[in-house]
Amino acid sequence: MLLLAAAFLVAFVLLLYMVSPLISPKPLALPGAHVVVTGGSSGIGKCIAIECYKQGAFITLVARNEDKLLQAKKEIEMHSINDKQVVLCISVDVSQDYNQVENVIKQAQEKLGPVDMLVNCAGMAVSGKFEDLEVSTFERLMSINYLGSVYPSRAVITTMKERRVGRIVFVSSQAGQLGLFGFTAYSASKFAIRGLAEALQMEVKVKPYNVYITVAYPPDTDTPGFAEENRTKPLETRLISETTSVCKPEQVAKQIVKDAIQGNFNSSLGSDGYMLSALTCGMAPVTSITEGLQQVVTMGLFRTIALFYLGSFDSIVRRCMMQREKSENADKTA
């Protein structure tokens, strides 16, 4: 009986592997495609633009700083594969005025054609204890990280649905999968992106539209934004972050572009990223039956491992608190 059950399970898994490609999205062809990247003047955004350009895409870079945009344009153009490719630069704050964002997207489409892929990479991180952060910091991060993704997406979605093709990428963070000490403002703004993405995917993934959403959860990545963030990180946050390695932006960009092309809802990197995505999948959509089965099978094991991680994080916070108390007592007795 046990042998029969094992044989049935093996046959079921093999069937899933055979069937899953039939229900997976058709990959998006990047040669000649128009890719818009917000936050594209540096870091992960710039590397995503380079990766798409290497594959033959036309690029629109959107960011606030014109000088950085022009510098990024020169770097990207070094990776052209034909003389027809174009890199267009548009300076605008994507988090402030929807009408302005809509207008610049229209300008980009008039020059390079309809948007085939939008990558929402504009964002920033500020860390600090909840009571130490100004209320304006919460408002600013929600505006940049959340509304800065809503506005461009809203500007392209109608055309994508009409053309029955498109990809929208939201670059979140592993801090958008679990809340960590010092990230009460940042994590909340990144968690919001997932809620938006899940709801939007349910609206557009149905067969007539052929539009697919990808949410990327990169780990700590060696970018100018990460360096700026580290300047004010609380000790607890820094020690927790140091339990994992820092990734290169080129590596992160390559994975995000690959997942977006394939129409995968989730994009993660490394073993920690895979585990986090499986643990936090909840009611998130899956791209294939195989993906769903893997999440079901690994959930128990990953939850056990996660409890050890959480225990170590709590231990770090307690040690920092004790050291701080000892230091304060020493100062009083001095």
Side-chain angles (χ1 to χ4, degrees):
M1 190 68 182
L2 186 61
L3 188 62
L4 182 63
F8 177 79
L9 181 61
V10 170
F12 180 64
V13 171
L14 288 174
L15 179 64
L16 289 177
Y17 272 99
M18 292 171 61
V19 173
S20 60
L22 301 178
I23 65 170
S24 297
K26 182 181 178 182
L28 179 71
L30 278 186
H34 180 191
V35 178
V36 175
V37 185
T38 71
S41 62
S42 64
I44 295 174
K46 183 177 70 175
C47 290
I48 287 174
I50 290 173
E51 183 63 28
C52 291
Y53 203 64
K54 284 179 179 179
Q55 298 187 40
F58 289 66
I59 305 295
T60 295
L61 290 180
V62 180
R64 290 175 294 180
N65 190 305
E66 284 191 46
D67 292 336
K68 288 183 178 179
L69 275 171
L70 293 175
Q71 180 60 40
K73 173 183 168 73
K74 291 178 182 178
E75 291 181 46
I76 295 166
E77 288 175 337
M78 294 171 62
H79 299 276
S80 65
I81 61 172
N82 62 66
D83 56 6
K84 294 181 180 179
Q85 285 177 275
V86 176
V87 180
L88 177 66
C89 293
I90 299 178
S91 176
V92 69
D93 186 338
V94 294
S95 67
Q96 291 300 310
D97 183 347
Y98 171 71
N99 291 327
Q100 191 176 18
V101 173
E102 186 179 37
N103 286 334
V104 298
I105 293 294
K106 285 180 179 177
Q107 291 172 25
Q109 292 188 128
E110 286 171 1
K111 293 180 180 179
L112 300 182
V115 177
D116 296 290
M117 182 191 294
L118 166 68
V119 183
N120 292 291
C121 205
M124 68 174 297
V126 177
S127 57
K129 289 175 67 176
F130 182 65
E131 66 271 24
D132 293 338
L133 292 171
E134 297 290 338
V135 172
S136 60
T137 300
F138 290 85
E139 295 169 344
R140 184 158 52 102
L141 288 187
M142 192 59 75
S143 176
I144 295 171
N145 294 341
Y146 177 66
L147 293 179
S149 294
V150 171
Y151 293 166
S153 302
R154 180 65 179 77
V156 303
I157 193 66
T158 301
T159 304
M160 284 185 175
K161 290 171 72 174
E162 288 173 351
R163 295 177 62 231
R164 302 290 194 263
V165 64
R167 298 287 191 272
I168 297 178
V169 181
F170 296 99
V171 179
S172 180
S173 162
Q174 285 188 350
Q177 293 175 294
L178 76 161
L180 292 174
F181 187 105
F183 281 151
T184 51
Y186 179 64
S187 282
S189 66
K190 290 297 188 177
F191 266 83
I193 288 176
R194 172 167 173 165
L196 166 66
E198 287 189 9
L200 183 57
Q201 175 74 330
M202 191 174 287
E203 291 185 15
V204 300
K205 76 172 182 179
V206 289
K207 218 168 190 180
Y209 298 129
N210 195 35
V211 177
Y212 290 89
I213 311 300
T214 297
V215 187
Y217 300 102
D220 285 343
T221 307
D222 186 13
T223 65
F226 182 64
E228 181 65 26
E229 173 194 336
N230 278 339
R231 292 177 56 198
T232 57
K233 256 183 187 173
L235 176 61
E236 294 89 339
T237 311
R238 181 166 56 80
L239 291 176
I240 290 172
S241 295
E242 288 173 357
T243 59
T244 59
S245 58
V246 177
C247 291
K248 293 184 179 298
E250 296 84 2
Q251 183 184 11
V252 173
K254 189 167 289 191
Q255 186 64 49
I256 292 173
V257 171
K258 178 183 176 182
D259 287 321
I261 289 172
Q262 296 297 327
N264 295 335
F265 181 77
N266 178 82
S267 179
S268 58
L269 194 69
S271 56
D272 285 348
Y274 178 77
M275 183 179 75
L276 266 177
S277 294
L279 275 171
T280 60
C281 60
M283 292 289 287
V286 293
T287 309
S288 68
I289 298 174
T290 306
E291 181 186 359
L293 180 65
Q294 289 172 344
Q295 291 169 350
V296 170
V297 171
T298 58
M299 181 68 74
L301 172 63
F302 286 166
R303 177 57 177 166
T304 303
I305 297 172
L307 291 174
F308 283 98
Y309 270 94
L310 290 171
S312 68
F313 295 163
D314 288 340
S315 178
I316 288 172
V317 174
R318 283 195 299 271
R319 287 202 308 270
C320 289
M321 186 180 298
M322 290 171 62
Q323 289 174 4
R324 198 172 289 115
E325 289 176 352
K326 284 182 180 179
S327 178
E328 290 174 356
N329 291 333
D331 290 342
K332 290 177 182 178
T333 56

